[in-house]
């Protein structure tokens, strides 16, 4: 789910690295929650979606910060 959403947003081209990173992290958590709910056959796992959305937002921002710094320091990755 996360890869598909990130790819779609990237193809649209109007989103920053921060937005792509946060979207990927948030949808990764949502995908995990859906799969766990299916595997364990319980809807109660969806209660964790809010927690995973918050933590996904935080980690998405942190990953984007690291990526931006890496791109600045690695000239072969400059657009």
């Amino acid at each position: 789910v996360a890869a598909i959403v990130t790819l779609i947003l990237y193809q649209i081209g109007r989103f920053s690295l921060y937005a792509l990173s946060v979207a990927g992290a948030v949808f990764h958590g949502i995908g995990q929650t859906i799969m766990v709910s299916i595997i364990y056959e319980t809807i109660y796992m969806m209660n964790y979606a809010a927690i995973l959305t918050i933590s996904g937002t935080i980690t998405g921002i942190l990953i984007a910060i690291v990526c931006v710094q890496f791109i600045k320091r690695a000239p072969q990755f400059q657009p």
Side-chain angles (χ1 to χ4, degrees):
V1 174
I4 294 169
V5 170
T6 304
L7 183 61
I8 291 170
L9 294 177
Y10 180 76
Q11 291 297 321
I12 292 171
R14 296 182 185 166
F15 297 95
S16 68
L17 183 60
Y18 289 94
L20 293 172
S21 181
V22 169
V26 168
F27 279 95
H28 176 76
I30 290 171
Q32 283 184 324
T33 306
I34 291 169
M35 289 309 299
V36 168
S37 295
I38 291 170
I39 291 170
Y40 288 109
E41 299 175 352
T42 178
I43 196 71
Y44 296 114
M45 296 307 292
M46 296 305 286
N47 293 334
Y48 291 106
I51 295 168
L52 290 174
T53 299
I54 293 168
S55 65
T57 301
I58 294 167
T59 57
I61 291 169
L62 293 174
I63 293 296
I65 290 169
V66 170
C67 288
V68 166
Q69 293 303 314
F70 178 79
I71 290 169
K72 285 181 182 178
R73 288 177 169 80
Q76 67 268 25
F77 294 106
Q78 296 288 332

